[in-house]
Amino acid sequence: MKELIIAINSGSSSLKFQVYEFPEEKMIAKGLFERIGLATSMDLTYSLDEAKNRRSVEGETHEDAVKFLLEFLLEQKIVADLSEITGVGHRVAHGGEFFKGSCLVDDEALEKIKSLAHLAPLHNPINIMGIEAFKNNLPACPQVAVFDTSFHQTMPEENFLYPIPYHLYEEEGIRRFGFHGTSHQYVAAEAAKSLGKNVEDLKIISCHLGNGGSICAIKNGRSVITSMGFTPLAGIMMGTRCGDIDPSIVTYLGREKQMSFAEIEQMMNQESGFKGVSGISSDARDIEEAFEQGNPKAILAMNMFCGRVKQTIGSYAAELGGLDVLIFTAGIGENSPIIRQLACEGLSFFGVTVDEQRNNSRQSMISQEDGQVAVMVVPTNEERMIVRETNQLIAN
Ligand code: ADP
């Protein structure tokens, strides 16, 4: 009998799935339901091999999508019986301070995840809908929650606290949480594996650069500091997010410009970053194109972005007291040689080098032959990490 594990990532109007066969950890199907709740039907794109397929699916809720997915797995003969699905792993945005790792979702864990919804009001409730949909339609199957935050729970207090009155941490839980944990953990493990080393023996900086971006310093296989904070707005500059700015800008805009909290939040989350600085686009590909054509705003946006990545790498190398591996991952990190090059420029004084030819030819090791730090491009795969964690928890 087959053993299949499904990774689920539910968004407000979408549900992404990947189906893996174990113990081979081989991906055998993946797909995306979109436009959930926007009409009486939703769109499904899926692939079982290389070819991409599309169809329209009746229904308007996440639960309808899950019901269809289960029928679809039977119809496509991916499973002969639903009991072949031995686990479902869900991406959950926020585990607060409670979840230090992934967990099997029983009633108590589900209640706890619900109680953390105030920390991620746009995400946790949607993730819970995904979990409940499977609970209702596949009640005997174990489910696992894999949190974006839990990898960072190893940060020491001096790194996760903000220098504001301590009672705001004690009473309100205001602290740095960090996100993209699944990705940072996955690429660090993959990099160590490809170097033939133990992740515990390496000092690693992982740069997850996508629409959202964060950087993480990893020592002994554990996160010691990461650039996102109480929310995913903090840290480096991003596609539309400002990252770290002087907090007084917020109070200034409220006081002097009578902007509301909602307007300021919208400005910082949706109108800043690449988009806000360049006035061109939030998409790194558009910025790169304009940069190459000599557009001054695009040049400025690129220099600001790469500068912030570089400054973070420098400070995290100081935090680690050295550096063995520097990783680039996610949409920009995996695909933009120019951003990797600019972010590493001038860092040879602490062993970070980029070989032009390697960087431009899609190799995974892009540092120079004699570079002391292994600079690597490692494709992230949060879904694979989710099924790995799920498999481990259900095996225990
Ligand atoms: P997220 O998951 O945060 O939405 P992704 O990891 O998919 O983001 O990354 C999206 C970003 O990656 C976009 O800014 C996009 O422009 C960038 N990107 C994708 N492909 C390329 C490419 N070939 N060159 C440069 N940037 C790219």
Side-chain angles (χ1 to χ4, degrees):
M1 200 171 101
K2 279 187 194 164
E3 273 186 41
L4 301 184
I5 297 181
I6 308 178
I8 294 291
N9 187 350
S10 344
S12 54
S13 63
S14 68
L15 187 135
K16 211 194 252 182
F17 65 89
Q18 287 193 5
V19 184
Y20 284 75
E21 189 161 358
F22 274 78
E24 300 83 357
E25 202 185 283
K26 180 173 171 239
M27 205 242 295
I28 54 172
K30 66 174 177 178
L32 172 66
F33 293 90
E34 286 175 294
R35 302 176 56 77
I36 299 177
L38 301 183
T40 53
S41 67
M42 49 185 108
D43 301 333
L44 168 65
T45 42
Y46 66 93
S47 51
L48 309 175
D49 36 48
E50 289 305 297
K52 243 191 173 173
N53 306 282
R54 262 179 190 285
R55 64 204 256 185
S56 175
V57 173
E58 288 298 305
E60 38 194 312
T61 64
H62 285 73
E63 178 139 358
D64 293 334
V66 169
K67 275 190 191 140
F68 182 84
L69 172 59
L70 297 176
E71 285 164 21
F72 171 81
L73 295 177
L74 287 165
E75 169 204 298
Q76 298 289 324
K77 304 204 170 17
I78 294 170
V79 291
D81 190 285
L82 292 179
S83 64
E84 291 173 5
I85 303 169
T86 54
V88 181
H90 298 263
R91 177 181 190 180
V92 178
H94 218 304
E97 278 196 328
F98 185 81
F99 292 104
K100 311 268 184 220
S102 308
C103 77
L104 276 167
V105 185
D106 54 14
D107 290 345
E108 201 183 327
L110 192 57
E111 280 313 304
K112 194 71 207 174
I113 297 170
K114 283 183 182 168
S115 77
L116 295 169
H118 66 286
L119 291 171
L122 300 179
H123 296 104
N124 271 29
I126 306 282
N127 303 148
I128 292 164
M129 273 162 55
I131 296 175
E132 287 185 326
F134 274 92
K135 240 180 108 180
N136 295 340
N137 291 282
L138 212 53
C141 180
Q143 297 194 60
V144 166
V146 179
F147 302 93
D148 272 15
T149 49
S150 63
F151 180 59
H152 302 300
Q153 279 294 304
T154 49
M155 282 189 287
E157 202 175 28
E158 61 271 25
N159 287 351
F160 74 65
L161 284 178
Y162 292 112
I164 56 177
Y166 193 81
H167 69 84
L168 289 172
Y169 167 58
E170 290 177 304
E171 288 155 21
E172 303 297 328
I174 295 178
R175 51 158 289 172
R176 183 194 301 269
F177 287 105
F179 299 86
H180 293 141
T182 315
S183 174
H184 291 301
Q185 187 178 9
Y186 176 80
V187 295
E190 289 294 302
K193 193 159 80 183
S194 82
L195 292 169
K197 299 246 167 83
N198 276 329
V199 72
E200 289 80 13
D201 299 331
L202 295 168
K203 291 173 176 166
I204 300 174
I205 296 176
S206 151
C207 305
H208 177 115
L209 310 177
N211 272 322
S214 71
I215 302 185
C216 179
I218 301 164
K219 198 177 195 171
N220 304 324
R222 292 156 169 253
S223 166
V224 291
I225 177 85
T226 188
S227 58
M228 282 179 169
F230 181 59
T231 72
L233 178 58
I236 56 171
M237 168 176 158
M238 308 179 212
T240 59
R241 285 175 244 170
C242 58
D244 291 345
I245 58 171
D246 182 341
S248 294
I249 295 170
V250 176
T251 44
Y252 174 88
L253 291 173
R255 192 178 64 240
E256 300 293 325
K257 298 287 160 201
Q258 285 75 50
M259 280 174 77
S260 67
F261 284 138
E263 286 168 333
I264 299 172
E265 261 195 325
Q266 153 84 10
M267 177 278 285
M268 295 190 297
N269 275 295
Q270 313 291 342
E271 307 298 335
S272 298
F274 272 142
K275 185 180 175 194
V277 174
S278 72
I280 297 169
S281 165
S282 64
D283 192 299
R285 283 166 291 203
D286 300 333
I287 303 296
E288 264 183 35
E289 201 183 309
F291 170 87
E292 273 149 25
Q293 290 162 358
N295 179 304
K297 286 281 176 55
I299 295 172
L300 175 65
M302 278 285 266
N303 288 339
M304 286 175 66
F305 180 84
C306 296
R308 279 156 172 78
V309 172
K310 182 192 304 198
Q311 290 148 19
T312 310
I313 294 170
S315 66
Y316 286 8
E319 169 74 31
L320 291 170
L323 184 61
D324 301 308
V325 188
L326 175 63
I327 301 170
F328 287 97
T329 192
I332 297 173
E334 291 167 32
N335 295 300
S336 177
I338 178 75
I339 289 179
R340 293 193 297 258
Q341 181 208 316
L342 291 174
C344 293
E345 209 165 66
L347 295 184
S348 61
F349 74 94
F350 68 89
V352 171
T353 57
V354 171
D355 179 277
E356 196 183 329
Q357 192 260 332
R358 288 178 174 181
N359 188 32
N360 286 305
S361 57
R362 302 204 139 262
Q363 296 195 27
S364 72
M365 182 68 73
I366 61 166
S367 39
Q368 292 168 9
E369 200 60 52
D370 58 353
Q372 287 147 20
V373 175
V375 183
M376 303 178 73
V377 179
V378 182
T380 193
N381 191 336
E382 286 158 303
E383 284 76 16
R384 187 176 289 275
M385 190 72 202
I386 289 171
V387 294
R388 237 178 235 180
E389 293 273 299
T390 304
N391 183 50
Q392 233 167 50
L393 277 165
I394 57 182
N396 291 341

